[in-house]
Amino acid sequence: MTDSEDALSLKQKGNQAFKDHDWLNSVHFYTKAIEANDQDPSFYANRAQANIKLEAYGYAIADATKAIELDGSYVKAYWRRAIANTAILNSREALKDFKVVIRKEPSNKDAKLKLAECEKIVKRVEFLRAIEIGDPPSAFEGLDIDSVPVEPSYDGLKLGTEMTSDFIDDMITRFKNGKKLHKKYVYQIVAAVKNIVYEEPTMVEMDVKEGHKLTVCGDTHGQFFDLLEIFRLNGFPSESQYYLFNGDFVDRGSWSTEIALLLYAYKWLRPNAFFLNRGNHETDDMNRVYGFEGECKAKYSERVFKLFSESFSALPLATLIGKKFFTLHGGLFSDDKTTLDDVRKLNRHQQRQPGQQGLMMEMLWTDPQTAPGRGPSKRGVGLQFGPDVTKRFCEKNGLDAVIRSHEVRMEGYEVEHDGRCITVFSAPKYCDSTENRGAYINIGPELKLEYHQFDAVPHPDIKPMAYAQSSLMQMM
């Protein structure tokens, strides 16, 4: 078999893996095909599409760019680069490529639609920047929750001045049946939790007492019924069953308001036994594109989104468990000099959104890599850090390991960097398209990690990204 024939055979294996939703193996086979023949643009374009599925948008942009270098008329490559740039909110670059697609395929109605949507996004971003002010007024300003009436027709349990287990049980039943909470109760829950988490340190420090258990969960991404499966398997939150949700509660999945409200209700009920870290999807830019803003508006109101946004910006960025496990959504830092003390001193209230650089951005966005040192992010945002970086950070700060989330893992979790970097992801069958399991980690007083896997459960027939700002996102 010639190199060319071998490469085509590998491409076909990659195509089959892609059809089977095995994105990692599809990337593997396309990479092997490129190694056998690095002059075929389709190999790069196909790998770009698989990388989009893996949310490795930086890699996807690089692959699509290479395909275009090899064949400047390759429309699919422009299309995929546009989709990847849209995913990392780089809409101006996406706009250029959508225009190329239409120029090369003037009758492509889908491309015209995407171009129009992309133009709307660019205009909105420019408008929001134009009206930006240094200190925006609080979304809670002028909101008199006590005066909001609850109509006699409301058929749910009433909420007083404190959260109760009965109210949460009724809330879960309502959400399972496709019902909403009354807006007054939404206001109460978000306001109460915003006040609680605002007073918590940027890095919460907690221990697991005798007779207690802490469960660390990764991304749940609006997959409400899978969240309930965690509670069914592992036990509902209680005074002895602690939980830590490590960011990305919302976006993508179409029950993000239900997850956010349920997690917030438990935080209000048990503020010292239920913990929440902020993720990169608890940010305005991501919420506007990936569905949470649209979902809030569709199910409640724009004001509810603004209230959530303000509460998200108050969330802690990390949790230190038993002085041994540094738990945060993304990962480690661009500078080896950064320590836990720097995290402790970080005033997250001065900067509501993470921006493009700095400790907050790195804590929300970075990813591990197998190679030593640091490298550019496969996402196109942040950076990647190697096992040597993790080792130095753990040794300097007296840690056993870093626990993080932020990335799909096919088995629900992965232990990397010689056991010092652990990824946990709790959204099985992510976006209804990735054949991954979910996982959570149990930690007792002895600080041993116990990994538990679980599978997705059925949910009502509402597709992921149902509330996304643009059908561009549904192309993912």
Side-chain angles (χ1 to χ4, degrees):
M1 185 180 288
T2 66
D3 283 350
S4 246
E5 291 170 332
D6 186 33
L8 286 173
S9 172
L10 288 162
K11 176 188 175 183
Q12 288 165 2
K13 289 179 180 178
N15 292 347
Q16 185 58 53
F18 190 91
K19 286 178 186 175
D20 293 338
H21 294 183
D22 187 353
W23 320 125
L24 280 171
N25 262 329
S26 64
V27 166
H28 168 75
F29 285 122
Y30 294 140
T31 301
K32 290 294 183 185
I34 289 167
E35 288 170 358
N37 175 12
D38 63 3
Q39 295 302 303
D40 189 322
S42 71
F43 299 167
Y44 295 96
N46 285 16
R47 191 170 68 176
Q49 183 66 3
N51 274 319
I52 286 171
K53 292 293 185 181
L54 287 169
E55 300 183 19
Y57 303 118
Y59 288 175
I61 290 165
D63 278 339
T65 300
K66 181 64 177 177
I68 290 165
E69 288 172 0
L70 291 169
D71 181 356
S73 63
Y74 198 179
V75 174
K76 276 186 182 178
Y78 289 101
W79 177 268
R80 288 169 185 170
R81 189 166 69 179
I83 294 297
N85 269 311
T86 301
I88 58 172
L89 314 184
N90 195 355
S91 302
R92 284 185 172 280
E93 289 302 313
L95 195 62
K96 295 176 188 175
D97 282 336
F98 283 129
K99 287 179 178 178
V100 173
V101 172
I102 290 170
R103 190 164 67 245
K104 293 181 178 298
E105 293 184 353
S107 60
N108 189 327
K109 292 180 182 178
D110 200 27
K112 289 179 181 177
L113 175 65
K114 300 297 180 287
L115 175 64
E117 291 173 343
C118 196
E119 286 174 334
K120 285 181 187 176
I121 293 171
V122 170
K123 285 177 182 176
R124 186 180 183 199
V125 168
E126 289 174 348
F127 171 74
L128 290 171
R129 282 179 183 160
I131 64 170
E132 261 182 10
I133 53 177
D135 252 338
S138 169
F140 294 91
E141 191 174 299
L143 178 61
D144 185 359
I145 298 174
D146 291 339
S147 70
V148 178
V150 178
E151 298 76 10
S153 59
Y154 182 71
D155 61 352
L157 206 63
K158 305 300 188 287
L159 177 62
T161 57
E162 296 294 333
M163 181 56 63
T164 67
S165 294
D166 287 343
F167 186 87
I168 291 177
D169 291 343
D170 182 69
M171 177 196 301
I172 290 171
T173 301
R174 292 185 70 77
F175 290 165
K176 285 166 72 174
N177 292 331
K179 294 183 176 182
K180 298 181 292 185
L181 284 187
H182 193 279
K183 65 180 179 181
K184 176 173 184 171
Y185 303 146
V186 174
Y187 295 160
Q188 280 184 267
I189 291 168
V190 180
V193 173
K194 185 260 182 181
N195 290 335
I196 291 169
V197 299
Y198 189 94
E199 296 302 322
E200 291 182 326
T202 295
M203 183 176 71
V204 173
E205 302 185 45
M206 55 89 64
D207 294 300
V208 186
K209 296 183 289 188
E210 285 300 325
H212 294 65
K213 176 178 73 175
L214 170 68
T215 299
V216 181
C217 298
D219 304 36
T220 50
H221 273 304
Q223 295 184 198
F224 176 72
F225 294 88
D226 295 317
L227 171 62
L228 295 185
E229 179 70 355
I230 294 174
F231 291 154
R232 185 188 74 81
L233 293 169
N234 191 60
F236 281 78
S238 71
E239 283 303 321
S240 60
Q241 170 61 77
Y242 292 4
Y243 274 92
L244 165 59
F245 283 84
N246 196 28
D248 282 14
F249 328 125
V250 302
D251 280 340
R252 295 191 177 275
S254 295
W255 290 271
S256 291
T257 56
E258 286 81 359
I259 282 192
L261 287 168
L262 180 56
L263 297 184
Y264 272 27
Y266 275 123
K267 179 64 179 176
W268 187 7
L269 179 66
R270 307 187 190 281
N272 300 312
F274 197 89
F275 304 94
L276 301 169
N277 284 344
R278 189 179 188 180
N280 68 304
H281 277 269
E282 280 73 56
T283 57
D284 285 356
D285 285 350
M286 302 299 277
N287 294 158
R288 288 184 183 122
V289 173
Y290 284 93
F292 185 61
E293 181 185 44
E295 185 178 335
C296 285
K297 289 179 178 178
K299 293 179 179 178
Y300 296 102
S301 67
E302 183 175 9
R303 183 165 209 168
V304 166
F305 170 68
K306 289 181 177 178
L307 296 175
F308 266 121
S309 168
E310 191 167 331
S311 73
F312 287 165
S313 70
L315 289 168
L317 300 178
T319 302
L320 182 63
I321 303 167
K323 298 183 175 58
K324 291 299 179 184
F325 298 105
F326 179 53
T327 308
L328 73 171
H329 182 70
L332 295 181
F333 308 99
S334 56
D335 189 342
D336 275 343
K337 294 177 183 175
T338 304
T339 67
L340 292 183
D341 276 340
D342 293 306
V343 177
R344 289 185 181 100
K345 294 172 187 173
L346 177 63
N347 185 348
R348 70 192 189 279
H349 302 312
Q350 286 184 331
Q351 180 184 351
R352 285 187 55 180
Q353 303 303 321
Q356 297 298 308
Q357 59 185 3
L359 289 190
M360 185 188 296
M361 182 279 289
E362 291 173 0
M363 293 175 74
L364 298 181
W365 277 99
T366 62
D367 296 295
Q369 63 182 23
T370 56
R374 294 175 174 86
S377 172
K378 63 187 175 186
R379 299 172 187 271
V381 182
L383 57 97
Q384 294 183 180
F385 57 95
D388 55 329
V389 175
T390 305
K391 181 181 182 207
R392 288 192 296 270
F393 183 82
C394 287
E395 289 177 347
K396 180 184 289 186
N397 292 281
L399 300 170
D400 286 355
V402 174
I403 299 175
R404 42 91 63 183
S405 302
H406 195 39
E407 291 181 282
V408 179
R409 291 294 189 260
M410 295 309 291
E411 295 303 315
Y413 74 96
E414 186 172 358
V415 181
E416 304 171 82
H417 293 187
D418 300 316
R420 293 186 179 91
C421 182
I422 296 144
T423 299
V424 59
F425 192 83
S426 304
K429 200 166 187 181
Y430 180 44
C431 290
D432 287 351
S433 64
T434 303
E435 298 302 325
N436 63 295
R437 302 189 77 190
Y440 50 88
I441 305 170
N442 281 334
I443 306 174
E446 68 287 351
L447 299 181
K448 302 296 183 187
L449 306 184
E450 295 179 3
Y451 302 98
H452 296 266
Q453 298 166 291
F454 67 103
D455 295 311
V457 296
H459 61 71
D461 189 20
I462 301 174
K463 295 187 182 305
M465 307 294 287
Y467 302 96
Q469 174 183 5
S470 156
S471 63
L472 286 171
M473 293 299 98
Q474 294 166 24
M475 298 296 296
M476 305 305 176

